[in-house]
Amino acid sequence: MFDMDTSEATVAPLFRAPSAYLTISAFLKELAEQGLPLPEKQVTWRRKSGVVGQHQIPPELPFGRVKGYGARLVISKQEATRYIQRLREQSVTITYKDVKSVVESYDEVMLKPARAAIRANRNFTGKIEDEVRGKLVEWGLAKYAYQRVGLELVIDFALITVNTRKRDQGDFVRCLVNGKDVEIPDHLKLSIKSTSGNLLAVPEIETTWEGSWFALAKLHIDDKFLYEAIKAGLGLVDLDFDRNLGWFEIRGFVSKKDFTDLGVSFKGVNLPQPFRMPNDFGRPNYIMLPVQLNQNPDDFLDLLRQIKDSAFEACHS
């Protein structure tokens, strides 16, 4: 299903930097050189700190002012190296080969009429891009799980109808063991939530759906990928299916039990400053910022291994 990733993480360029600190522009350049490009607004968000409810939220990226750099914000080379290494451990690349696989498997859904209010207002091209991006998030997690621990998660590409299911769950409830489809135990079922912004927000009703874990993910992908695919279809360019279009990032994960504990998370239609979003949610959501989630790569890999082991036992019991 997926090719194994044999690339090795490296942050060597940082060690060649003459200074002990990096400015925001230098840090962004380093990320790009490492194949993990981020827009500056992402760094701006990730360096925010403040109070939500009764909780002091630390910055994800500890930029600050240091003597000798004037008013410029900087991050220590040590902190930058540690952060980039974690991003490496919680990400996979996305190529045209991945896009091709999603489109092939999702073709029937691509052509369905739009029913949801938001999607109904999008033109066909916009709808297709939304569908591809959304499914690439699930694909990204499945690719990550397979490359890191050999877990083959089953992605649901079924067409949603009123008579079958009313939603695309975005959940991983089944996996393959030696080609056999096996149900994942309830206490290990995982729901992937993507964000175009920077937080995990889930309406209360969705917290009652099956599964015990939420994983927050972000897709960083070339905005022109669909346009280039259209040009290729018209015979104007040739696509390199192994070309790196961007990367998939796991922002963190949390158990549903902790996520719905208001002593841990926050419930509302928006967050207070400095985390407030431009628009309120239509109804109250449980909300957690990425830095409040478990962002330890080893812990997430351990969860994936538990899923794999439990499925293997169920298959051979």
Side-chain angles (χ1 to χ4, degrees):
M1 186 177 183
F2 304 109
D3 296 328
M4 295 302 290
D5 186 5
T6 57
S7 63
E8 295 182 0
T10 172
V11 287
L14 278 176
F15 292 104
R16 294 197 296 268
S19 173
Y21 294 90
L22 296 177
T23 61
I24 290 178
S25 61
F27 181 67
L28 290 171
K29 181 179 179 182
E30 179 64 34
L31 285 170
E33 290 180 357
Q34 295 292 335
L36 301 166
L38 283 177
E40 186 171 350
K41 65 181 181 180
Q42 272 294 311
V43 173
T44 298
W45 181 273
R46 296 180 192 210
R47 63 180 177 80
K48 287 183 178 183
S49 62
V51 177
V52 176
Q54 302 299 315
H55 302 287
Q56 178 67 45
I57 309 300
E60 186 173 343
L61 279 170
F63 276 88
R65 291 183 171 84
V66 174
K67 185 177 180 180
Y69 287 84
R72 290 181 298 174
L73 294 172
V74 295
I75 188 172
S76 73
K77 191 161 58 175
Q78 182 180 20
E79 287 285 356
T81 300
R82 185 181 301 117
Y83 192 79
I84 291 173
Q85 183 64 33
R86 182 172 70 77
L87 290 186
R88 284 258 184 209
E89 293 174 4
Q90 292 187 290
S91 65
V92 290
T93 58
I94 298 297
T95 68
Y96 266 120
K97 189 180 295 183
D98 297 315
V99 174
K100 179 175 181 289
S101 296
V102 165
V103 173
E104 286 176 338
S105 301
Y106 216 34
D107 187 55
E108 189 176 5
V109 174
M110 299 288 187
L111 298 175
K112 71 178 181 180
R115 290 190 295 109
I118 294 177
R119 290 181 178 175
N121 292 326
R122 300 296 303 275
N123 59 32
F124 182 73
T125 304
K127 172 184 175 294
I128 290 296
E129 184 170 356
D130 284 349
E131 296 284 5
V132 172
R133 283 178 178 271
K135 219 59 183 179
L136 275 174
V137 172
E138 294 177 48
W139 185 270
L141 181 55
K143 182 176 182 178
Y144 178 87
Y146 181 72
Q147 289 187 347
R148 297 306 173 104
V149 302
L151 169 63
E152 294 188 72
L153 293 168
V154 174
I155 302 174
D156 184 3
F157 286 106
L159 178 66
I160 303 168
T161 68
V162 175
N163 295 327
T164 55
R165 293 179 296 115
K166 297 183 179 180
R167 59 184 172 89
D168 181 355
Q169 299 176 33
D171 296 336
F172 290 100
V173 299
R174 310 190 72 82
C175 64
L176 298 179
V177 178
N178 297 326
K180 182 178 179 180
D181 192 306
V182 179
E183 183 171 3
I184 298 170
D186 286 343
H187 71 284
L188 292 174
K189 287 176 180 175
L190 179 66
S191 178
I192 183 79
K193 300 295 182 183
S194 63
T195 176
S196 58
N198 291 278
L199 48 83
L200 174 61
V202 181
E204 184 171 14
I205 184 61
E206 292 188 27
T207 65
T208 66
W209 296 347
E210 65 180 327
S212 297
W213 296 89
F214 288 124
L216 180 65
K218 192 167 183 67
L219 186 67
H220 307 278
I221 192 170
D222 187 344
D223 289 337
K224 300 188 296 293
F225 84 97
L226 184 60
Y227 175 61
E228 292 182 353
I230 292 172
K231 289 205 298 183
L234 295 172
L236 301 176
V237 297
D238 293 324
L239 286 185
D240 176 3
F241 282 92
D242 291 318
R243 178 191 156 198
N244 183 359
L245 294 177
W247 55 294
F248 164 87
E249 176 190 8
I250 297 167
R251 299 289 284 126
F253 73 107
V254 65
S255 69
K256 188 180 293 185
K257 179 181 178 182
D258 286 341
F259 185 64
T260 55
D261 180 353
L262 291 180
V264 178
S265 68
F266 176 84
K267 189 177 181 182
V269 297
N270 211 326
L271 290 172
Q273 294 292 3
F275 305 107
R276 188 175 183 85
M277 300 171 296
N279 299 305
D280 292 345
F281 291 113
R283 51 184 171 175
N285 277 235
Y286 286 98
I287 306 172
M288 289 182 79
L289 294 157
V291 75
Q292 294 177 280
L293 307 176
N294 187 338
Q295 295 185 311
N296 186 319
D298 291 336
D299 289 345
F300 190 64
L301 290 177
D302 183 60
L303 175 62
L304 295 179
R305 291 189 187 98
Q306 289 183 54
I307 295 173
K308 181 182 178 181
D309 292 345
S310 66
F312 183 84
E313 291 175 5
C315 186
H316 293 86
S317 60

